[in-house]
Amino acid sequence: MMHAALLLSSLVAFFATAVSSTALTYKLAAHEKSCFFTSVEQRGPKVAFYFAVQSGGSFDIDYEVVGPGEKVIMDGTKERQADFVFTANDVGEYRFCFNNEMSTFAEKIIDFEIAVENEESRAKIPSKQGTPPEQTSVLEESILKLSSQLSTINRNQKYFRTRENRNFSTVRSTERRIFNFSIIEGCMMITMAGLQVFIVRFFFQGARKGYV
């Protein structure tokens, strides 16, 4: 039992170190372009790139992923969110850029995550002496299932957070429009009342001049 617990803890620690990731929230000002970087030291790892615009304007942004040698891997314009996984075939620095130059005044808040995962390192699972291969295989399968389920939960949380932020922004925009419409309606009512008083006074003044 003690060997199983030690093996489980070592597997968890190994899977935690097999993946390097960066999750950030960034406020991108109008007419701003900002880039973030990650380095790949060997060929073959999987690079996961996720982003979602949480607020600002129409919730859209331009993005670009550039690899070593200024090779454009992927790009897009006016995207609200994206989730990609690609294989890093070249060693070097990868650049992930967000471009808000098309916006005249609206700043954007972006949640994004960059993760680099080496599948070859993951395949070499450490084992304890005296542990049966069958038990190691079962623990590996359990860890992979837990990792997959945690990844699914994490993505669902990101999705619901994005939906909540966008719905809240829509509610605030609707409240602002209702408030502005109420002010305009009130000004129009006051103007109409003033015009009615002016017209009535004009008719009465004209009638008095006719009698005189």
Side-chain angles (χ1 to χ4, degrees):
M1 193 69 180
M2 182 65 69
H3 288 291
L6 290 174
L7 181 59
L8 181 62
S9 61
S10 64
L11 285 171
V12 172
F14 180 80
F15 276 95
T17 56
V19 180
S20 60
S21 63
T22 301
L24 294 172
T25 299
Y26 185 77
K27 181 183 290 185
L28 195 67
H31 302 290
E32 180 184 357
K33 180 179 180 180
S34 185
C35 296
F36 302 86
F37 302 85
T38 186
S39 296
V40 174
E41 299 179 355
Q42 58 183 353
R43 295 182 178 181
K46 299 292 184 181
V47 180
F49 175 50
Y50 162 84
F51 75 88
V53 182
Q54 300 293 335
S55 67
S58 300
F59 300 96
D60 56 354
I61 201 73
D62 298 342
Y63 73 93
E64 185 180 43
V65 180
V66 182
E70 297 301 315
K71 179 182 178 181
V72 178
I73 299 174
M74 60 184 66
D75 58 4
T77 58
K78 295 184 178 181
E79 296 286 345
R80 292 190 169 191
Q81 64 185 70
D83 193 356
F84 300 105
V85 178
F86 63 91
T87 302
N89 295 319
D90 299 319
V91 177
E93 192 173 63
Y94 287 78
R95 184 169 74 246
F96 304 81
C97 297
F98 298 104
N99 190 343
N100 195 29
E101 293 178 350
M102 80 290 194
S103 180
T104 55
F105 60 88
E107 62 182 18
K108 311 287 178 67
I109 296 180
I110 307 171
D111 281 351
F112 69 95
E113 183 175 357
I114 302 169
V116 179
E117 178 179 341
N118 194 334
E119 293 184 347
E120 294 182 358
S121 298
R122 171 172 282 194
K124 300 175 183 178
I125 305 298
S127 60
K128 293 286 183 179
Q129 293 183 354
T131 303
E134 296 81 5
Q135 186 176 2
T136 304
S137 177
V138 172
L139 288 174
E140 290 177 15
E141 186 177 354
S142 300
I143 292 294
L144 289 174
K145 287 183 179 179
L146 287 174
S147 177
S148 177
Q149 291 173 357
L150 287 174
S151 178
T152 301
I153 292 173
N154 188 27
R155 292 183 184 279
N156 287 336
Q157 287 179 337
K158 291 178 181 178
Y159 171 77
F160 287 123
R161 179 185 177 186
T162 302
R163 287 288 302 273
E164 180 184 6
N165 289 337
R166 291 177 181 173
N167 291 338
F168 184 68
S169 179
T170 302
V171 170
R172 286 189 300 179
S173 176
T174 304
E175 289 179 347
R176 185 166 57 250
R177 292 179 181 178
I178 292 174
F179 178 75
N180 293 336
F181 181 77
S182 300
I183 293 177
I184 294 173
E185 186 180 17
C187 293
M188 291 179 63
M189 292 177 64
I190 294 173
T191 303
M192 290 297 296
L195 286 174
Q196 289 177 354
V197 172
F198 174 78
I199 293 172
V200 171
R201 290 185 61 183
F202 177 78
F203 280 128
F204 275 103
Q205 287 178 357
R208 289 181 181 178
K209 290 180 180 180
Y211 280 116
V212 173

